[in-house]
Amino acid sequence: MSSPDQPVVLTCAQPTGQLHLGNYFGAVRNWTTFLDSHACYFGIVDQHAITLPYVPAELRQSCYKTLALYIACGLEPEKCNLFLQSHVTGHTELAWILACLCPLGQLERMTQFKDKAARQEEGGAGFIGSGLLYYPVLMAADILLYNADVVPVGEDQRQHVELTRDLAMKFNATYSDTFKIPKVEIPKQAARIKSLQDPTRKMSKSDPNQGGVIYLLDEPNIVTKKIKSAVTDSGSEVRASEDKPGITNLLHIMSASTGRSIEDLEQEFAGSQYGVFKAAVADAVVEMLTPIQERYKAIADDKKYLEGVFKSGADAAQKRAFKMLSKVNRKAGFIERAR
Ligand code: TRP
C-alpha cells in the first residue's frame, strides 16, 4: 500500500454522518489526490465529538455513516488508512503530555473555543466542558502522533494547526528533537462553495436554511429543487463576478462537478436564461453524485465490511502511533513498562 519513505498525510474530521458539497469539493475530494503519492491516515475523531452535548447511539451511527461516505467518495480502504480515533491508543495519552506544555491563555484565545463556548452558555449544556477548551490539544496530538508531513484542513482550522506547530516546537525544545513541524495545507476551493440561499456565506450543515445546502446523499429531485430555488442576482447574464454572488456560486459548483473551467461555462451559457443554466447545473451535480450514492448504498448497511475497514485502519494507525508514543514517553521521563 504505502512505502516507508513516502511522506505522511494526516487529516481528521468529526463524525457528522453527513457531507455536503462544500465538504466534498473543499476537503474529501482533495484528500483523494494524496492516495498514490503519500502514506495516508484519515481519522474520524469520535473523541472530539463528545466535547459538545451528544447522544451516544447517534454518535455510533454517525461514525459508520461517515466512514461509508468517505469510501463512497473515493477514499479506497486499499489505498489509505481510515480509522476511528478511539480505536488507537495514543491520541489522549499524547494530548495529556502536550497539555502540560500548553499555556492556558493560548487555549482561551482560540477563536473556535470562544465561539463554541459562547453558544454553550446561550443554550447548550448549561456549562462549558473542559474538553472544549482542551480540544485543540487533542487535535495537536492527532497530528503529532503520526509525525505527519502534511495536514490538509479548511481555513477555520488554521489556528489549531498553528498551535500544533507551536507545541511541536515546544516539545522539541523542552526534551529533544522529536516531532516534524507539520505543514498546513488549505485547498483553495474550500471556501468557494456558498449557501444557495445566501451566497455570501459558506455552505454549512448548521445553516438554519437547509434549502441552501446540498448533501451528497440528497435524492436527485431534491438536488434539482434546491438548485432551481437558489437565489440569483439582478441582471440576466451568466457570468462570474463580485456583484453576482449567486450565479458565481452556481458556476463554481458546476465547474467543480464537471471539471470544466468557469470561462468555458460562461461561454456555453452566454445568452442563456438563468432557468436554463440552473437546470444544467442541477444535471451536472446529479450526474456527479450518482456514483457516490450508488457506492454508498452498496456498503452503508454492511456493518461487517465497515468494521473490517475500521480494524485494518486502526491496526496500521496503531503501529505508527505506538512507535511515536513510546519515544515521547521515554523523552518525557516515563519508565518503560517491562515486558
Ligand atoms: N478540528 C477538526 C475539524 O473540526 C477535526 C480534526 C481533529 C482534525 N483532529 C484533527 C483535522 C487533526 C486535521 C488534523 O474540522
Side-chain angles (χ1 to χ4, degrees), residues 155-174:
E155 184 58 44
D156 64 329
Q157 298 298 316
R158 183 192 288 277
Q159 202 182 26
H160 291 160
V161 183
E162 268 153 19
L163 174 78
T164 307
R165 293 166 56 90
D166 288 350
L167 291 175
M169 287 189 254
K170 194 131 183 229
F171 187 99
N172 289 352
T174 306

Side-chain angles (χ1 to χ4, degrees), residues 17-246:
Q18 307 195 52
L19 295 174
H20 56 63
L21 285 188
N23 302 135
Y24 180 62
F25 293 137
V28 183
R29 192 167 73 169
N30 175 54
W31 303 347
T32 62
T33 62
F34 293 99
L35 293 181
D36 293 322
S37 52
H38 288 65
C40 299
Y41 294 86
F42 300 127
I44 297 178
V45 288
D46 49 355
Q47 291 168 323
H48 277 97
I50 69 169
T51 53
L52 291 175
Y54 74 106
V55 178
E58 284 171 14
L59 173 61
R60 208 172 287 128
Q61 283 316 311
S62 299
C63 287
Y64 285 119
K65 278 192 192 160
T66 303
L67 175 64
L69 271 168
Y70 284 166
I71 298 171
C73 288
L75 297 178
E76 295 297 339
E78 294 74 32
K79 292 192 168 185
C80 59
N81 304 303
L82 294 158
F83 66 94
L84 267 179
Q85 184 182 34
S86 67
H87 282 175
V88 180
T89 301
H91 290 257
T92 51
E93 285 76 1
L94 178 56
W96 179 250
I97 295 174
L98 296 174
C100 295
L101 290 172
C102 183
L104 180 56
Q106 205 171 354
L107 295 181
E108 286 167 339
R109 281 194 300 275
M110 290 279 139
T111 320
Q112 203 162 68
F113 168 68
K114 288 194 280 187
D115 290 350
K116 288 186 181 174
R119 268 180 267 146
Q120 282 311 294
E121 277 179 332
E122 283 161 18
F127 70 99
I128 298 161
S130 312
L132 198 58
L133 180 69
Y134 190 75
Y135 180 113
V137 181
L138 181 56
M139 174 161 164
D142 298 337
I143 297 170
L144 298 179
L145 190 59
Y146 299 90
N147 222 5
D149 297 282
V150 192
V151 186
V153 288
E155 184 58 44
D156 64 329
Q157 298 298 316
R158 183 192 288 277
Q159 202 182 26
H160 291 160
V161 183
E162 268 153 19
L163 174 78
T164 307
R165 293 166 56 90
D166 288 350
L167 291 175
M169 287 189 254
K170 194 131 183 229
F171 187 99
N172 289 352
T174 306
Y175 300 108
S176 65
D177 209 21
T178 307
F179 295 120
K180 285 187 221 167
I181 310 304
K183 269 204 303 270
V184 200
E185 229 212 47
I186 304 201
K188 281 184 226 72
Q189 277 216 329
R192 285 221 187 118
I193 306 300
K194 311 287 189 188
S195 158
L196 299 175
Q197 290 298 319
D198 179 359
T200 61
R201 295 167 52 155
K202 243 175 46 171
M203 188 174 283
S204 155
K205 78 166 199 323
S206 52
D207 196 327
N209 189 343
Q210 288 288 300
V213 190
I214 296 181
Y215 291 98
L216 301 191
L217 298 180
D218 278 348
E219 299 283 340
N221 61 326
I222 303 288
V223 172
T224 304
K225 202 165 120 205
K226 285 178 177 173
I227 292 177
K228 287 196 170 160
S229 340
V231 299
T232 46
D233 317 291
S234 52
S236 60
E237 247 178 303
V238 176
R239 180 169 51 78
S241 74
E242 265 177 40
D243 58 332
K244 289 181 151 279

Side-chain angles (χ1 to χ4, degrees), residues 1 6 12 26 41-42 52 71 77 158 187 197 230-231 255 278 285 288-289:
M1 178 165 66
Q6 276 181 325
C12 304
Y41 294 86
F42 300 127
L52 291 175
I71 298 171
R158 183 192 288 277
Q197 290 298 319
V231 299
S255 166
K278 280 176 159 180
V285 173
M288 187 255 332
L289 290 180

